[in-house]
Amino acid sequence: MTDSSARPVAVFDLDNTLADTAHRQHFLEGRPRDWDAFFAAAAADPPLAEGVTLALETARECEIVYLTGRPERCRRDTLDWLAAHGLPEGRVHMRSNSDRRPARFTKLEILRRLAGDRRVRVLVDDDELVCDDAERAGFTVVRARWADRSAALEDAQEREGRT
Protein backbone atom coordinates (compact mmCIF):
# COMPACT_ATOMS: atom_id res chain seq x y z
CA MET A 1 0.00 0.00 0.00
CA THR A 2 1.53 3.30 -1.05
CA ASP A 3 0.73 6.73 0.38
CA SER A 4 0.56 8.77 -2.81
CA SER A 5 0.05 12.03 -0.90
CA ALA A 6 3.56 11.90 0.59
CA ARG A 7 6.68 12.99 -1.21
CA PRO A 8 8.50 10.14 -2.92
CA VAL A 9 11.64 8.76 -1.33
CA ALA A 10 15.12 8.90 -2.83
CA VAL A 11 17.54 6.44 -1.26
CA PHE A 12 21.26 7.21 -1.16
CA ASP A 13 24.14 4.94 -0.24
CA LEU A 14 27.08 6.53 1.60
CA ASP A 15 30.43 4.86 0.92
CA ASN A 16 31.71 5.70 -2.57
CA THR A 17 28.39 7.35 -3.41
CA LEU A 18 28.47 10.38 -1.11
CA ALA A 19 31.69 9.72 0.82
CA ASP A 20 35.07 9.02 -0.76
CA THR A 21 36.56 5.99 1.01
CA ALA A 22 39.83 5.87 -0.95
CA HIS A 23 41.95 7.09 1.99
CA ARG A 24 40.83 4.14 4.16
CA GLN A 25 40.86 1.31 1.62
CA HIS A 26 44.29 0.16 2.80
CA PHE A 27 42.68 -1.17 6.00
CA LEU A 28 40.88 -3.78 3.88
CA GLU A 29 43.80 -4.90 1.74
CA GLY A 30 45.69 -6.94 4.33
CA ARG A 31 44.71 -10.07 6.21
CA PRO A 32 43.09 -9.92 8.59
CA ARG A 33 41.16 -6.87 7.49
CA ASP A 34 41.16 -4.06 10.04
CA TRP A 35 37.45 -3.25 10.20
CA ASP A 36 37.68 -1.14 13.33
CA ALA A 37 40.23 1.18 11.72
CA PHE A 38 38.31 1.21 8.42
CA PHE A 39 35.12 2.44 10.07
CA ALA A 40 36.89 4.77 12.51
CA ALA A 41 38.46 6.57 9.55
CA ALA A 42 35.06 7.21 7.92
CA ALA A 43 34.68 10.46 9.83
CA ALA A 44 37.50 11.88 7.69
CA ASP A 45 36.00 10.88 4.32
CA PRO A 46 35.96 13.73 1.83
CA PRO A 47 32.58 14.23 0.15
CA LEU A 48 32.09 13.16 -3.47
CA ALA A 49 30.83 16.25 -5.30
CA GLU A 50 28.74 14.32 -7.83
CA GLY A 51 26.85 12.42 -5.15
CA VAL A 52 26.37 15.42 -2.86
CA THR A 53 25.07 17.55 -5.73
CA LEU A 54 22.66 14.82 -6.78
CA ALA A 55 21.38 14.44 -3.20
CA LEU A 56 20.83 18.18 -2.82
CA GLU A 57 19.04 18.44 -6.18
CA THR A 58 16.90 15.38 -5.48
CA ALA A 59 15.90 16.74 -2.05
CA ARG A 60 13.89 19.45 -3.81
CA GLU A 61 11.31 16.84 -4.83
CA CYS A 62 11.97 13.83 -2.61
CA GLU A 63 12.47 12.86 0.99
CA ILE A 64 16.07 11.70 1.28
CA VAL A 65 16.76 8.41 3.02
CA TYR A 66 20.26 7.05 3.57
CA LEU A 67 20.86 3.31 3.24
CA THR A 68 24.32 2.11 4.15
CA GLY A 69 26.04 -1.15 4.83
CA ARG A 70 27.91 0.49 7.71
CA PRO A 71 27.20 -1.13 11.07
CA GLU A 72 24.96 0.56 13.62
CA ARG A 73 27.95 1.33 15.86
CA CYS A 74 28.99 3.96 13.27
CA ARG A 75 25.73 5.93 13.56
CA ARG A 76 27.04 8.96 15.50
CA ASP A 77 30.02 9.48 13.16
CA THR A 78 27.76 8.99 10.14
CA LEU A 79 25.18 11.54 11.31
CA ASP A 80 27.95 14.02 12.14
CA TRP A 81 29.53 13.50 8.70
CA LEU A 82 26.22 14.07 6.87
CA ALA A 83 25.59 17.30 8.80
CA ALA A 84 29.17 18.56 8.39
CA HIS A 85 28.90 18.23 4.62
CA GLY A 86 25.52 19.93 4.32
CA LEU A 87 23.59 16.89 3.17
CA PRO A 88 19.82 16.88 3.56
CA GLU A 89 18.39 15.54 6.78
CA GLY A 90 16.92 12.10 6.44
CA ARG A 91 16.46 8.74 8.07
CA VAL A 92 19.60 6.62 8.12
CA HIS A 93 19.23 2.86 7.76
CA MET A 94 22.29 0.89 8.91
CA ARG A 95 22.93 -2.81 9.30
CA SER A 96 22.92 -4.26 12.79
CA ASN A 97 26.39 -4.77 14.25
CA SER A 98 26.08 -8.55 13.87
CA ASP A 99 24.55 -8.66 10.36
CA ARG A 100 27.05 -10.19 7.93
CA ARG A 101 24.77 -10.75 4.96
CA PRO A 102 25.90 -9.31 1.64
CA ALA A 103 24.84 -5.67 1.12
CA ARG A 104 22.62 -6.65 -1.79
CA PHE A 105 20.41 -8.68 0.57
CA THR A 106 20.24 -6.19 3.42
CA LYS A 107 19.66 -3.20 1.17
CA LEU A 108 16.98 -4.85 -0.96
CA GLU A 109 15.13 -5.90 2.20
CA ILE A 110 15.07 -2.28 3.42
CA LEU A 111 14.12 -0.93 -0.02
CA ARG A 112 11.12 -3.26 -0.13
CA ARG A 113 10.08 -2.17 3.35
CA LEU A 114 10.34 1.50 2.35
CA ALA A 115 8.29 0.82 -0.78
CA GLY A 116 5.54 -0.71 1.33
CA ASP A 117 4.16 2.68 2.26
CA ARG A 118 6.01 5.19 0.06
CA ARG A 119 6.99 5.46 -3.55
CA VAL A 120 10.73 4.95 -3.90
CA ARG A 121 11.70 7.16 -6.82
CA VAL A 122 15.36 6.14 -7.02
CA LEU A 123 18.20 4.26 -5.37
CA VAL A 124 21.68 5.77 -5.81
CA ASP A 125 24.43 3.25 -5.00
CA ASP A 126 27.91 2.28 -6.17
CA ASP A 127 27.64 -1.46 -5.53
CA GLU A 128 26.89 -3.10 -8.88
CA LEU A 129 25.34 -6.18 -7.25
CA VAL A 130 23.03 -4.04 -5.12
CA CYS A 131 22.06 -2.07 -8.24
CA ASP A 132 21.45 -5.23 -10.29
CA ASP A 133 19.20 -6.76 -7.62
CA ALA A 134 17.31 -3.50 -7.07
CA GLU A 135 16.66 -3.14 -10.80
CA ARG A 136 15.46 -6.75 -11.02
CA ALA A 137 13.07 -5.97 -8.16
CA GLY A 138 11.64 -3.06 -10.15
CA PHE A 139 13.42 -0.10 -8.55
CA THR A 140 14.88 2.77 -10.57
CA VAL A 141 18.64 2.94 -9.98
CA VAL A 142 21.38 5.48 -10.52
CA ARG A 143 24.74 3.75 -10.50
CA ALA A 144 27.24 5.91 -8.64
CA ARG A 145 30.32 5.44 -10.79
CA TRP A 146 32.11 8.64 -9.81
CA ALA A 147 34.45 7.12 -7.17
CA ASP A 148 37.45 4.91 -7.84
CA ARG A 149 36.55 1.21 -7.65
CA SER A 150 38.06 -0.86 -4.87
CA ALA A 151 38.32 -4.62 -5.28
CA ALA A 152 38.83 -4.99 -1.52
CA LEU A 153 35.65 -3.05 -0.74
CA GLU A 154 33.63 -4.93 -3.37
CA ASP A 155 34.80 -8.25 -1.94
CA ALA A 156 33.95 -7.07 1.58
CA GLN A 157 30.46 -5.99 0.53
CA GLU A 158 29.67 -9.33 -1.05
CA ARG A 159 31.65 -11.95 0.87
CA GLU A 160 31.98 -10.51 4.35
CA GLY A 161 28.84 -8.41 4.66
CA ARG A 162 30.69 -5.63 6.41
CA THR A 163 29.77 -2.53 4.43
Side-chain angles (χ1 to χ4, degrees):
M1 190 68 64
T2 304
D3 180 359
S4 60
S5 66
R7 290 174 56 179
V9 173
V11 180
F12 280 79
D13 173 48
L14 294 176
D15 292 339
N16 286 337
T17 298
L18 298 173
D20 187 350
T21 66
H23 72 102
R24 55 187 170 111
Q25 295 300 324
H26 64 95
F27 293 118
L28 302 182
E29 292 168 359
R31 293 283 191 260
R33 293 181 173 159
D34 190 346
W35 288 106
D36 290 337
F38 177 77
F39 288 121
D45 288 353
L48 289 163
E50 296 90 337
V52 170
T53 298
L54 183 59
L56 292 171
E57 289 173 354
T58 304
R60 294 182 191 137
E61 296 181 5
C62 297
E63 175 188 338
I64 302 299
V65 173
Y66 301 99
L67 176 55
T68 179
R70 293 178 186 184
E72 185 64 40
R73 70 179 182 274
C74 299
R75 181 169 292 277
R76 181 76 266 151
D77 285 345
T78 299
L79 294 173
D80 290 346
W81 187 91
L82 290 165
H85 294 288
L87 283 139
E89 288 187 17
R91 291 174 287 162
V92 178
H93 294 272
M94 305 179 90
R95 72 171 63 234
S96 73
N97 291 329
S98 60
D99 187 346
R100 297 290 186 265
R101 293 175 296 157
R104 60 194 171 99
F105 297 131
T106 60
K107 288 185 174 184
L108 191 57
E109 178 181 296
I110 293 168
L111 276 172
R112 286 183 170 136
R113 194 172 357 151
L114 289 169
D117 63 1
R118 297 287 292 281
R119 184 166 81 83
V120 176
R121 180 175 288 176
V122 66
L123 166 69
V124 183
D125 202 300
D126 71 303
D127 185 323
E128 294 292 334
L129 295 174
V130 168
C131 292
D132 291 346
D133 282 2
E135 284 179 336
R136 277 192 289 275
F139 292 97
T140 300
V141 172
V142 171
R143 293 171 187 261
R145 292 180 173 151
W146 40 80
D148 291 335
R149 307 298 309 161
S150 165
L153 182 59
E154 289 170 5
D155 183 61
Q157 288 170 322
E158 181 61 16
R159 296 183 195 278
E160 295 183 38
R162 293 290 194 119
T163 184

